[in-house]
Amino acid sequence: MSYLLRRIRKSRWDPAYRNEINGGLPGEAIPSDCLADLNTSYCKLSLWQVHDDRSNLEVIAVAVATTRDVAANFEYTLIDHARVAAIGNLKQSEGGSPNIQANNDWHWDLSGLSAQQLGELVAVMYEFGSPMRIIRRDVENLIREALQRREIDRSLVNGKLRAHMGL
Amino acid sequence: MTSSTAIKHFPIKRPPSQLAGGRTSQPLKYVTFRVTVATSQNEPELVAESATSRSKVSPTLEAKVAQIFSAARYEIFEDGMESEFSRGLIDIVLRHGQAGVLEIAAVLKQPTTPSPVAAEALRWLGWIRDPSTHAIRQWVLCDSLTAHSLIVRDGAIVGLTYFNDPSTRSYIVSARASEASEALQIDLDQLLDQLDFPEKGYVLSPQENPKIQVGSGISQ
């Protein structure tokens, strides 16, 4: 069993967040703000495959983090591959990160998505996802390590990030 | 330590915008502004050690801060991505210094400020590298660890991970003892670990890579 990774803002998925909104959302309602972490384009949602032993987690974190403007905490959630596959058309596709291997081997699209299916995905992520955080210091170090090992193409790293980190 | 006592330790100086011939209305670049302030022969007048009053805040500054917070109400924030809000916030801090941070702190305290916007502000207040506002930003971040809103406390924790200053440790330990959220307890432990073991995970020291200062964000 493998996982699919989606970058999120962890606090949006904290159940306690429900209580802060207009005096609290009813029952077990899921905050609509969670949808902010699931922006689709052409009805496709980008996801990254993480091995069951999570051995490629840091590689993917770097791949995604190097598309950002600045080095920041990397917050993500992992969902069982099978649960996502049950929602819609999940197929492997080429990613757009500076890591070519990650783009070719581990990037997936949940495609042809309807709003209803996106709602199903939010529910699955909310119930079964495991929000996590890699702190900025470690993200920066992982990026430098990846550059040293030539895992990522420096020229494809976000220009603002290169400038901020002096890469 | 409460905010009312903590702030007494910070010298709050009147910014140039409140001095005769104030410069902030001119379209100066940050560097020029910094050099001007840093090399000025005239020490800006002290307001008071414990000044928290906004009565002397420049109307321009107050309006500017209110405007960026208002415009951000419907902005969607992503970690690691600049936004209109982050650019505006950084601009205010670098142009107006301590007065700018104080004005931001005042807006953070307003109940009408949406917690996600306040949290985003705290993240960037921690991320900025600006020695002249370091102390006042530290106070704002540490004070926010006790905010009622979980989202705001999370923003303060993230801001403090970026801030990465061991002198915040006692505030974090105190916040950890009273934090009700299990998720934030874990985040606070992670933050303490970062402060206690700063070398952990470092790949290159600044000496090995002179192009970069470890942990740097925006620097002057």
Side-chain angles (χ1 to χ4, degrees), chain B residues 42-98:
Chain B
N42 300 318
E43 181 70 12
E45 181 185 344
L46 289 174
V47 174
E49 281 193 341
S50 58
T52 54
S53 166
R54 297 169 62 205
S55 60
K56 292 184 180 177
V57 169
S58 154
T60 308
L61 172 58
E62 190 173 355
K64 193 185 289 184
V65 173
Q67 192 274 328
I68 66 159
F69 274 84
S70 175
R73 295 177 76 85
Y74 298 104
E75 199 166 347
I76 295 173
F77 302 115
E78 291 182 60
D79 287 332
M81 297 304 284
E82 295 175 353
S83 63
E84 286 299 315
F85 180 67
S86 70
R87 282 187 284 270
L89 193 89
I90 291 169
D91 182 81
I92 284 165
V93 173
L94 296 185
R95 278 183 189 276
H96 298 277
Q98 294 175 341

Side-chain angles (χ1 to χ4, degrees), chain A residues 6-17 30-31 33-38 77 121-127 129 131, chain B residues 151:
Chain A
R6 177 72 189 177
R7 186 179 48 77
I8 60 168
R9 175 158 284 195
K10 199 160 71 78
S11 57
R12 291 179 180 133
W13 300 81
D14 191 318
Y17 184 38
I30 298 170
D33 284 7
C34 293
L35 289 169
D37 291 326
L38 298 173
T77 190
L121 180 64
V122 171
V124 165
M125 287 173 65
Y126 204 80
E127 184 170 1
Chain B
I151 302 300

Side-chain angles (χ1 to χ4, degrees), chain B residues 113-206:
Chain B
T113 301
S115 54
V117 180
E120 183 70 5
L122 290 164
R123 287 168 183 244
W124 286 100
L125 284 179
W127 194 83
I128 296 167
R129 288 292 171 268
D130 175 41
S132 71
T133 58
H134 185 92
I136 190 75
R137 286 184 292 113
Q138 175 174 324
W139 167 67
V140 174
L141 289 165
C142 291
D143 184 55
S144 300
L145 286 173
T146 57
H148 176 71
S149 163
L150 172 136
I151 302 300
V152 173
R153 298 201 302 278
D154 179 68
I157 293 168
V158 174
L160 285 165
T161 66
Y162 298 164
F163 203 70
N164 199 27
D165 185 338
S167 70
T168 60
R169 192 180 189 286
S170 61
Y171 295 93
I172 296 161
V173 169
S174 174
R176 173 65 177 81
S178 57
E179 178 55 59
S181 160
E182 280 185 33
L184 294 194
Q185 287 173 6
I186 293 169
D187 294 338
L188 285 164
D189 287 339
Q190 195 177 31
L191 174 54
L192 285 170
D193 183 70
Q194 172 184 327
L195 297 177
D196 290 344
F197 303 99
E199 76 288 356
K200 190 195 286 184
Y202 276 163
V203 179
L204 294 175
S205 69

Side-chain angles (χ1 to χ4, degrees), chain A residues 144-160:
Chain A
R144 292 200 178 88
E145 278 184 317
L147 279 168
Q148 280 187 330
R149 290 197 300 260
R150 301 184 187 280
E151 280 178 4
I152 53 177
D153 183 339
R154 187 186 303 264
S155 69
L156 297 178
V157 173
N158 185 311
K160 288 181 179 176

Side-chain angles (χ1 to χ4, degrees), chain A residues 67-137:
Chain A
T67 65
R68 310 277 91 189
D69 291 338
V70 299
N73 288 355
F74 182 78
E75 299 183 349
Y76 63 95
T77 190
L78 297 177
I79 325 121
D80 289 349
H81 191 287
R83 288 190 191 279
V84 180
I87 291 172
N89 184 17
L90 185 63
K91 57 183 181 185
Q92 202 158 6
S93 66
E94 186 177 357
S97 82
N99 185 322
I100 306 302
Q101 188 205 353
N103 291 345
N104 292 332
D105 293 351
W106 301 320
H107 186 262
W108 293 69
D109 277 331
L110 189 56
S111 59
L113 267 179
S114 67
Q116 287 77 11
Q117 287 172 311
L118 198 59
E120 288 177 44
L121 180 64
V122 171
V124 165
M125 287 173 65
Y126 204 80
E127 184 170 1
F128 301 106
S130 43
M132 310 281 270
R133 170 183 290 164
I134 302 175
I135 58 174
R136 171 191 171 183
R137 178 197 67 188

